[in-house]
Amino acid sequence: MADKEQVIQALRATLISVKGALTVKQCNRDYRELQGEWIPYKKLGYPTLEKLFQDVPGFKITQINGDWVVDAIASQETQHIASMVSRQKSNKKHNLKLNYQNRIPKKQGSWRKPTSSSYYSSNYSNQYSNQLYRAKSNTPFINNNYNNNKSNKYNKTYDTKTSYQSVKNYKVSIENQDKNVINTSKRLNPTSQITRDTEEQKHSIKNEKETDGRGGGKISASQRLSNLRDRLNTVDLIPLQLPAHNDYTEISDLVTHVAPAHTLEPPPDSTSSIEKLEWTCRKLGLPQPTYTVLDLRPKRGPACFHCSIKVGGSYTVSSYPDSSSPSEELAKELAAVKLLAVIESSEMEGLPTSSPTGALQALVALVADSEAGIWATHVPHLYREKYNENLPNNWLELVENCPLILKDRLVSGLVLLPNNEDVKSLLIESISFEETIDSDLPPLQFPEDDYWNVFITVANSTLEVWLRIIGLQYSDAFEVLLADMVEYYDHGGTTVDKSMIIKNAWYAVKLDDGGWQRAKIIEIEDDKATVFLGDHGDDDSVHFSNIKILETQFRKLPAQAVLCRLEGAEELAASETGAALVRRRLLGEVMVAMPGPRTDPSDPSVAVVLYDTSTPRDLNLNKEIVHDFCIAGAFSLTQKLCAVEVGCVTEEGRVWVSRAGGADTVRAALALLTAGPYRRPLPAAPHAPPTQPNALYIVRTLAGDWVRCIIISGLDGEGTVRTQLVDSGLILRAPLSSLVPLNAFSPALDAYPYQAVQVRLGAAERVASSMVQRLRELLLGAPVLCRALPASTPTTPTAGGPAGAPAQHVELFARSGPENFLVPVNISILMEYEYLQLANPKEEEKESSKHLEELHKKKERIFGAASTGADAREARELRDARAALPPPALPPPALPAPGKRFDVFVSMAANPWNFVVQPNSTRPTLLTMMASLQVECPKIPESEAPAKPASGQLYTAYYDKDESWYRVVVANAVSTEMVSVYFCDFGDLTLFSTKSLRPVPAAVPLARSLPPQAIKARLYDVKPLHQDWTVDDCIRFQDLCVEQQFVGVCKEVGKDPINPTEPLLILDLIDTSTDEDIYINKQLVTEDRARLASAS
C-alpha cells in the first residue's frame, strides 16, 4: 500500500477505531496488524513517522515526556463513528462465525429447557436424585479444567523454575540498569523534577499505558535505533514483531529527563580485510594482529607467498596450505579473511557447546550489558570470552525468535540491542500471576442458569465428556477468536524454535484441517509435539513448524472445553461397552445440560445430566445410556459356540457359567464406586431380610472385592444369611449387617442383568455329582467354550436362580495342558466315569487282600509267630511276585474289517507307504487322557522311575521339545541308562534315559485301558515312479496329509514287515473338506509323483 491517500485513509481508520490517542509506536503496530505491513513513511518521502503526522492534515500529534502521541481529528463524515467508539466499553466482536469441521456444533436453534415430564419419575430417579441431584448454590462455577485436563495424564506438575528464574534474573538486571541510569540523570541535571500526568493528559492518551509512561530515566529502544540510523546511514528498519502486552499497570513515575544515547562505532567503510581485522581486534579488546609472511618462491616459476597471523594468545591462522598468493599484501588479505571467519565462527576446538536454552538466556544477558548494542559478528567471540563455551550453530535463529533482543539490520551488518522496555512490561505482566504459565488463560466462569445449551466435543466415557457452552460470552466469543486467529496467524505470528518450547505452556497451533487453535504443550517429541486443545478437550499431534507464540489478545478468553461426567452413570466408565455407548450417543451433538453442584474442589469435572430436547419427548440421555448398557449386558446361550467363564462347580455337580468378562465388568464398576475419587457413600445395611424376592445387595469378599448377591435364606441365630453371588453362582454366608442395598447405591448396576446362569451337561449330567473334582480341574480358571444342546433335551428349573428359569443343557469344551488341547468336557467325564466303574472289581480285590493281611496279623498277635510263619512267608512271596510282574499290556486297537469305513487322523508320515493314523472315533478320549497326564504326571517323583525297564513295558515320559507328557512303550534297552521308546499314541521313536520314565499314574485310568492310538498304515494302490520315493515326493505327501482328518476306507489288514506283531492297514484316504472329494492316491498320480499299482 504505497499510495499516499490509501495510507492516510488506513491511518485514520486505525486511530478512529480506538478511544483516546496512541503513541507513534502503538499506531505503527496496530497499522501492521490491520494492513499486514509497517507504515511506509520512507516510501512516502518522510524521514520519520513524526514528520508524516506533522505534515498531513487531520492528525493531532503532541510530545509528552519525550514520546510522540498522535490522534485523528474527526471530520463530519467520521464524527458519528468517533462518538460511538468513545461510548464503547470494550472492543468485542460478535458477528463473525466460523464452522470448522468437528469443532463447531452441527445444529443450532432446537435447544429449550426440558419439560417437567422429562425429569426422573421412576424408582431409579427418585431414590438416586434425592441423594445426588442437590440444589445448586449461588456461587458461580470456576472451571479449572485448563489445569486439570484429563485424569492422570494432564495433572502432572511441570518444572518451570528454570525458565522463570532466568526471567527473574533479567528483571533484576533491568531494574539495576534503571537505577543506574536514573542516578546518572540526577548527576547530569540535579534540578530535574519528576512530574505526573494531569487529568487532561490521562484522558487524551489510550487507556493501555505502554511506552508513553515508561519508568526510569533511560533512553527508549526506539530512540536508540533512531540515533543509530542517523549516525550509520542505515537502511529501512525491519523491526521484530513482538507480542502485544497492553493490560499491565505502570509501576514507576514518569521522568522528564532522558539520558543521552550511547554510540556504536561502525566498521570501516573499506574492502580491506586487514583494516576490518584490526578494527575488530580493537573493538573486542584484543591485541593488534602480527603478520608473518613467508616467501616460498620456487626455483622456476612465479613468486608464491603465504602469511600467518597471530592475535595475542587467542587466535592464530595461516593461509598455508589452503592458498598461495603472488604478493605479500594479497597473502595478508587472505589470512585476514580466514582469521575474521574464525573470530566470527560459533565453533572453536576444545570448548563445549551450550544448549539452546542456556545459550539464549546467556545471550540475553550478554546483549543487556551493552546499551549501545553489539555487532552480531562479535557475539561468538564475546560469548566465548564470557562463558568459555561455543554458541550452538543455530544461535541466530534463536535470537530471531527472542522478544528480549531487538534486531537492527544496517548497511554494515546486524546489530543486537536489549529490548528493555518490552522485557519490563513482559515481566510485570507474567510474574504477577504467581509464576505459573497457565494463568495466562483466565478461569471459565460458568453461567448461573440451571440449564446450559452445550455442544459435545469429546465423549470418551461417562467420566470424560468434554463440552462447550453455547452462548454470547462462550461459543460466540470463541468463534470470533478463531476467526481472529486465522486472520492473524495465516499472515504472521512468531514461530517458536523447538528448544524454546515449554511444556504445559499455551501456544497457537495449526491443525491438519487448516484451523488455528489454542493448545497446551503436553509432550515434546522428535519433530512433533503432543498438545491438548483447551477449547476442544482432546489431544493432537502438531509439527513444530505449525506452533507459534500465543499473543496476548488471544489469551483473554478462557479455555472453553469443560470436563464433565454423567451423573448417575459414572460406573459405566469401567466398561468398554459403556464407553462405546457414550461415543455413539453423545459425540458431536447439541444438547441441554443440567449441572450439579461441585462439592469436591479437587475434582475438575462437573457432574451433569444431559437432555436431548430436539424431539417432542425430552430424553434423559444419562438414563438412556444406562438402559442401553443393561440391554448389552444380557447373557443367553445359543447353539453357537461362545466364550464363557465357569464361576463355580457346586458339591452336587451343578455348573454355573457367565459371559466372558461379565463378572469382571461388574467388579470393576463396583471398585470405581467404592474407592478413589468417585467413591459414593454406602447406604445403611438392612435390619431384616427383605420381603421382596431377588433384591440385590453388594457384599465384600475376603479378597477385598465387592460383588453382587441375593439373599437365599432366613436370618440364623448368629445374624448371618446365605447369599448367592449372581455373577458367579457361588454361595456365601455373610452377616446381614455387611450387606449394602444396591438399589440405593447404584441404580445402574441394580438394573444390570445377572451374569451367571446354571447349566446342565446333557447325557453327562447323571455322572456330574460323582465327577465334581474332575470338573473343577477342567473348568475353573480355564478358557471355556459353550454351546446349547438342541431344545429337545429335557430341562429343569435353575436352583437358586430366578423363579421358573430353566437350566439349559449345554456342551462344554475346555483347553488344557501346555499344548492347549481342546477337551470335550461332557464326553470326558462320562467316559472317565465309565472306566472308573470298570475298575471297581479290582478295587474289591484289593479290599479282600487287605482283609486277609489284617487277619494274619491278628492271628500272629494271638497265637504267636510260629503258628503263622508259613502264612506270612506265603504272603511275602505273593507280594514279591506281584512286584516282579511287568506293567499290564494295553488292549489291542479295534481294527476295521476290509471294505469298511475307518475315519482317521494322520499324526505323522514318512511317505505314502509308511504313515501313522489315529482313529477319529476315540480321538476325544485320547485328548482327555493327554490332558489328564499333563496334570498327574508331574506329581510323580523321580524316585519312582524304573530301575531296569523291560521291552514292551508301558510308562509315561516327558518330551521336552513340546513340553508334554506321553504314554510310551519300551522298545529295547540301549544301555543300562538309556532305552529306546515308542510313542504308542503317535507312532514315532526316540531315546530316553531310564530316569526320565515314570509309571502310569493311577489317577488316570484311561492311560491303562485306552488301546494304543497309533496304527501304521499304507496308502492304497500307489507305487513310486521309480524304485523308491524321492525326497520331494515325501515332503509333498506330508504336506497333504499330516495333522489332517480323512475319510478312510480299509482295503486290507496286514502285518508290518518290520515288526510282524503289529498290524498294517491298507487305506484309501479321501479328503471331503472341499466341494469335490479328493482321493490322495489319485492326487499324487495327477501330480506325477506316483503311479497306480492296479494300472501297472
Side-chain angles (χ1 to χ4, degrees), residues 358-379:
L360 187 57
Q361 295 176 3
L363 280 170
V364 172
L366 181 66
V367 175
D369 290 341
S370 177
E371 283 292 319
I374 304 176
W375 292 101
T377 54
H378 296 172
V379 170

Side-chain angles (χ1 to χ4, degrees), residues 306-320:
H306 289 275
C307 178
S308 63
I309 306 178
K310 184 175 183 181
V311 177
S314 303
Y315 301 100
T316 301
V317 298
S318 175
S319 62
Y320 180 83

Side-chain angles (χ1 to χ4, degrees), residues 50 64 97 140 188 198-199 252 275 339 392 398-399 405 477 610 674 706 732 735 753 777 845 927 998 1043 1065:
E50 293 80 8
I64 300 176
K97 303 284 183 183
L188 294 174
T198 64
E199 288 296 316
S252 59
E275 293 183 17
L339 184 56
L398 301 178
V399 169
I405 300 176
L610 295 177
T674 54
W706 288 89
L732 300 178
E777 290 176 358
E845 273 186 32
L927 297 180
R998 298 289 184 274
E1043 296 187 354
L1065 296 181

Side-chain angles (χ1 to χ4, degrees), residues 762-1057:
E765 182 69 19
R766 63 183 179 85
V767 303
S769 59
S770 302
M771 304 293 291
V772 171
Q773 187 60 34
R774 184 62 181 147
L775 282 171
R776 289 173 176 173
E777 290 176 358
L778 290 173
L779 298 177
L780 294 183
V784 178
L785 297 177
C786 176
R787 66 182 174 194
L789 293 174
S792 57
T793 305
T795 60
T796 58
T798 302
Q808 287 181 278
H809 282 267
V810 299
E811 187 176 10
L812 299 178
F813 300 86
R815 295 195 178 275
S816 179
E819 293 296 316
N820 281 330
F821 292 111
L822 190 62
V823 179
V825 177
N826 301 40
I827 298 176
S828 174
I829 64 168
L830 189 59
M831 296 191 68
E832 287 193 35
Y833 177 79
E834 292 176 353
Y835 279 117
L836 287 174
Q837 292 300 109
L838 293 175
N840 280 341
K842 296 180 181 179
E843 296 296 329
E844 293 175 0
E845 273 186 32
K846 292 181 181 178
E847 292 295 328
S848 177
S849 299
K850 184 177 179 182
H851 174 71
L852 289 175
E853 290 180 2
E854 292 178 352
L855 177 61
H856 287 310
K857 291 180 181 179
K858 183 175 180 181
K859 289 168 63 178
E860 184 177 353
R861 287 195 304 271
I862 297 174
F863 301 106
S867 62
T868 58
D871 293 337
R873 185 167 56 256
E874 290 177 4
R876 285 194 301 270
E877 290 175 355
L878 180 61
R879 287 197 301 270
D880 292 342
R882 287 179 178 174
L885 289 176
L890 292 174
L895 300 176
K900 295 295 183 180
R901 173 177 166 179
F902 187 57
D903 295 345
V904 296
F905 177 86
V906 178
S907 61
M908 63 170 292
N911 56 58
W913 283 357
N914 183 10
F915 60 95
V916 176
V917 298
Q918 297 169 342
N920 262 352
S921 59
T922 56
R923 184 166 174 77
T925 307
L926 170 64
L927 297 180
T928 300
M929 181 200 69
M930 289 295 298
S932 301
L933 290 178
Q934 314 313 312
V935 176
E936 299 297 334
C937 288
K939 301 177 183 179
I940 303 175
E942 185 180 344
S943 59
E944 296 191 21
K948 295 180 179 180
S951 178
Q953 291 182 344
L954 177 67
Y955 294 98
T956 60
Y958 182 73
Y959 192 50
D960 56 3
K961 289 186 178 180
D962 58 9
E963 300 180 343
S964 299
W965 289 87
Y966 294 91
R967 292 193 305 176
V968 296
V969 175
V970 177
N972 55 68
V974 178
S975 66
T976 56
E977 297 181 353
M978 297 293 294
V979 291
S980 172
V981 299
Y982 174 65
F983 289 84
C984 60
D985 297 313
F986 294 89
D988 45 348
L989 289 164
T990 189
L991 293 177
F992 273 116
S993 67
T994 55
K995 294 181 180 179
S996 300
L997 302 180
R998 298 289 184 274
V1000 177
V1004 188
L1006 275 176
R1008 296 179 178 272
S1009 57
L1010 183 67
Q1013 296 297 291
I1015 303 175
K1016 293 183 179 180
R1018 176 173 174 169
L1019 190 61
Y1020 169 69
D1021 198 25
V1022 291
K1023 285 185 177 180
L1025 292 177
H1026 305 287
Q1027 291 184 353
D1028 203 355
W1029 302 99
T1030 66
V1031 175
D1032 288 342
D1033 297 339
C1034 296
I1035 294 176
R1036 176 56 179 161
F1037 181 72
Q1038 292 168 3
D1039 292 339
L1040 288 172
C1041 298
V1042 174
E1043 296 187 354
Q1044 303 291 331
Q1045 292 185 349
F1046 295 93
V1047 172
V1049 177
C1050 180
K1051 298 296 185 178
E1052 182 183 349
V1053 179
K1055 294 183 178 180
D1056 183 11

Side-chain angles (χ1 to χ4, degrees), residues 468-761:
R468 279 201 302 267
I469 302 172
I470 297 173
L472 188 64
Q473 299 178 356
Y474 301 97
S475 60
D476 289 358
F478 172 62
E479 292 176 16
V480 172
L481 178 135
L482 286 184
D484 291 345
M485 288 183 68
V486 170
E487 182 180 358
Y488 180 83
Y489 287 110
D490 278 352
H491 302 91
T494 305
T495 57
V496 187
D497 186 81
K498 175 183 176 181
S499 60
M500 298 300 296
I501 292 179
I502 303 173
K503 284 186 179 180
N504 217 36
W506 290 91
Y507 293 88
V509 300
K510 187 175 184 180
L511 304 180
D512 293 337
D513 59 10
W516 286 90
Q517 292 275 341
R518 301 184 299 176
K520 178 191 287 186
I521 302 296
I522 302 302
E523 294 293 341
I524 298 175
E525 301 167 2
D526 294 336
D527 57 347
K528 291 186 177 182
T530 301
V531 300
F532 170 72
L533 304 177
D535 299 307
H536 192 70
D538 62 345
D539 292 353
D540 212 330
S541 184
V542 181
H543 196 275
F544 289 118
S545 60
N546 292 330
I547 300 177
K548 294 186 178 183
I549 294 293
L550 185 64
E551 305 291 358
T552 304
Q553 62 267 33
F554 305 123
R555 294 175 177 266
K556 297 178 182 179
L557 185 69
Q560 295 296 296
V562 182
L563 175 61
C564 300
R565 68 177 189 273
L566 301 187
E567 192 166 11
E570 290 90 345
E571 50 267 49
L572 273 62
S575 165
E576 178 56 36
T577 302
L581 289 172
V582 169
R583 288 191 292 268
R584 180 170 61 86
R585 296 296 296 261
L586 301 184
L587 186 60
E589 298 295 331
V590 176
M591 298 178 178
V592 173
M594 183 180 73
R598 297 186 67 186
T599 57
D600 185 3
S602 63
D603 183 9
S605 61
V606 180
V608 297
V609 179
L610 295 177
Y611 295 93
D612 182 1
T613 61
S614 62
T615 60
R617 184 175 67 89
D618 296 339
L619 294 179
N620 182 323
L621 290 173
N622 294 36
K623 287 185 62 178
E624 291 292 321
I625 291 174
V626 169
H627 177 69
D628 293 348
F629 177 71
C630 293
I631 292 177
F635 175 48
S636 61
L637 296 172
T638 65
Q639 295 184 26
K640 184 179 179 181
L641 277 175
C642 64
V644 298
E645 296 171 355
V646 176
C648 74
V649 179
T650 66
E651 294 297 332
E652 297 80 13
R654 297 171 182 168
V655 179
W656 290 79
V657 300
S658 62
R659 181 170 54 91
D664 290 338
T665 296
V666 176
R667 276 195 296 268
L670 289 172
L672 187 145
L673 297 181
T674 54
Y678 304 103
R679 181 173 55 244
R680 293 178 186 168
L682 295 175
H687 298 291
T691 55
Q692 58 182 14
N694 298 327
L696 274 174
Y697 297 86
I698 59 173
V699 64
R700 196 167 191 175
T701 65
L702 294 176
D705 298 328
W706 288 89
V707 292
R708 300 190 302 171
C709 65
I710 57 174
I711 297 176
I712 59 174
S713 74
L715 193 65
D716 63 10
E718 297 180 355
T720 63
V721 292
R722 293 177 73 235
T723 66
Q724 184 170 40
L725 309 188
V726 297
D727 299 313
S728 65
L730 286 170
I731 295 178
L732 300 178
R733 182 169 291 278
L736 184 64
S737 59
S738 66
L739 302 183
V740 176
L742 187 56
N743 187 30
F745 181 67
S746 171
L749 292 181
D750 186 65
Y752 196 62
Y754 296 175
Q755 295 300 290
V757 295
Q758 183 186 347
V759 295
R760 302 176 70 85
L761 302 181

Side-chain angles (χ1 to χ4, degrees), residues 35 69 100 245 274 405 407 465 520 789 949 1063 1083 1092:
Q35 306 299 331
V69 179
Y100 287 117
H245 299 280
I274 297 176
I405 300 176
K407 277 68 68 176
V465 176
K520 178 191 287 186
L789 293 174
Q1083 178 71 22
L1092 293 177

